[in-house]
Amino acid sequence: MNYMVCRKGVAAGLLMAIVALPGIASAADDWEFVIGGGLGYGSKYEGSDEMEAMFLPVAGITWKDTVYLSTEDGLGAVVYDDNNFTVNVSFNYDWGRDESDSSDLNGLGDVDGAATANLSLEYDIGPVTPFIELTRHLGGTNGLEASFGVDTMIPLSALTGQGSGSGAMGSDDEGANGPAFLAGLSSTWSDDKYMKNYFGVNSTQSARSGLQQYTAKSGLKSVTAELAFLYPVNENWEVMTMIESSRLIGDAADSPISKDDGVVFGGLTVSYKF
């Protein structure tokens, strides 16, 4: 679960190609649209000890549960699905980090944003889904990241004893479409390029910022726990609350840029799907 759009030119081009395919535009049931928004509150940057409020946009288009474009996941497609094992490829965007985001970043300069190419592998094992996601930055840091962990989605009815299933989402009973908890636990590895840009301090940055020089090397960057509650108000409206807590580890935690190893985010969104 990742709650935070991709290059507009690429996205628009693929969407136009999809719409132009014979027969698709007339098959309204193949499409799902989501729009909404909310508010979030979290750390100003990874390692910051300051918090800020932010607007959370929610928008998405899905075709046949296969091709999607959304503010959360970017532009992507399910390229393989055998019910249990799923492979997704997508393009998204990493907004980078601005020196103006916090006074603690003065003298460090900006980390440029860039499009990212992503590959994710998921395998459903009962109520849990282990996953691996690879993210290649196509510019900016030019870095590579790998996240691995496990997600689960449990209907509220399964916890209250009102559901007929085992607790996993996916059945056609009322529990599969009712209120549900979503939880996840993951860890992220980052390569030298990513770590250098986000957590390293070179000689020029050191002279400008007053921070000591620091070389951040590749390795495990963070561990993250996530919890969300999804409440479908009716067939179209949904409300979601979420909280995410990450702990920086290794060279990321030891960096002089990291004022607080804990990275916290919470939010609430309201969305309408049709």
Side-chain angles (χ1 to χ4, degrees), residues 43 45-50 247-248 257-263:
S43 304
Y45 66 88
E46 281 188 298
S48 176
D49 58 0
E50 301 175 291
R247 174 65 57 177
L248 296 178
I257 297 174
S258 300
K259 306 300 183 182
D260 189 338
D261 295 345
V263 182

Side-chain angles (χ1 to χ4, degrees), residues 238-250:
E238 290 183 345
V239 177
M240 175 179 282
T241 58
M242 65 203 80
I243 186 168
E244 176 181 297
S245 178
S246 295
R247 174 65 57 177
L248 296 178
I249 57 178

Side-chain angles (χ1 to χ4, degrees), residues 60-119:
I61 305 172
T62 304
W63 176 66
K64 287 190 173 181
D65 292 327
T66 300
V67 180
Y68 53 86
L69 172 64
S70 74
T71 50
E72 178 185 343
D73 298 313
L75 172 67
V78 179
V79 297
Y80 181 81
D81 185 358
D82 73 348
N83 295 322
N84 291 322
F85 180 61
T86 306
V87 180
N88 282 264
V89 294
S90 66
F91 290 94
N92 213 326
Y93 194 84
D94 178 353
W95 295 99
R97 188 185 68 196
D98 293 336
E99 181 178 340
S100 60
D101 288 345
S102 170
S103 59
D104 291 328
L105 301 175
N106 288 343
L108 297 177
D110 297 340
V111 178
D112 293 336
T116 63
N118 313 286
L119 171 67

Side-chain angles (χ1 to χ4, degrees), residues 11-211:
L14 183 55
L15 275 180
M16 290 181 68
I18 293 171
V19 172
L21 290 175
I24 291 179
S26 61
D29 291 343
D30 292 341
W31 295 87
E32 181 174 277
F33 300 85
V34 178
I35 189 168
L39 292 176
Y41 189 70
S43 304
K44 285 191 172 183
Y45 66 88
E46 281 188 298
S48 176
D49 58 0
E50 301 175 291
M51 305 284 282
E52 66 178 353
M54 64 199 78
F55 172 67
L56 302 178
V58 177
I61 305 172
T62 304
W63 176 66
K64 287 190 173 181
D65 292 327
T66 300
V67 180
Y68 53 86
L69 172 64
S70 74
T71 50
E72 178 185 343
D73 298 313
L75 172 67
V78 179
V79 297
Y80 181 81
D81 185 358
D82 73 348
N83 295 322
N84 291 322
F85 180 61
T86 306
V87 180
N88 282 264
V89 294
S90 66
F91 290 94
N92 213 326
Y93 194 84
D94 178 353
W95 295 99
R97 188 185 68 196
D98 293 336
E99 181 178 340
S100 60
D101 288 345
S102 170
S103 59
D104 291 328
L105 301 175
N106 288 343
L108 297 177
D110 297 340
V111 178
D112 293 336
T116 63
N118 313 286
L119 171 67
S120 67
L121 311 175
E122 301 177 353
Y123 189 81
D124 291 335
I125 305 175
V128 299
T129 303
F131 68 88
I132 298 175
E133 181 173 7
L134 302 177
T135 300
R136 174 68 179 181
H137 296 250
L138 307 177
T141 68
N142 288 305
L144 175 68
E145 292 191 283
S147 296
F148 51 92
V150 61
D151 289 336
T152 186
M153 182 182 287
I154 303 176
L156 181 61
S157 60
L159 300 178
T160 59
Q162 298 175 355
S164 59
S166 61
M169 295 295 282
S171 62
D172 294 328
D173 59 25
E174 182 180 350
N177 299 308
F181 286 97
L182 300 85
L185 185 64
S186 63
S187 184
T188 299
W189 172 93
S190 302
D191 72 355
D192 286 334
K193 293 179 180 178
Y194 183 97
M195 295 294 290
K196 173 185 175 182
N197 279 270
Y198 277 100
F199 297 100
V201 181
N202 60 33
S203 58
T204 301
Q205 292 172 319
S206 177
R208 291 175 177 174
S209 66
L211 299 175

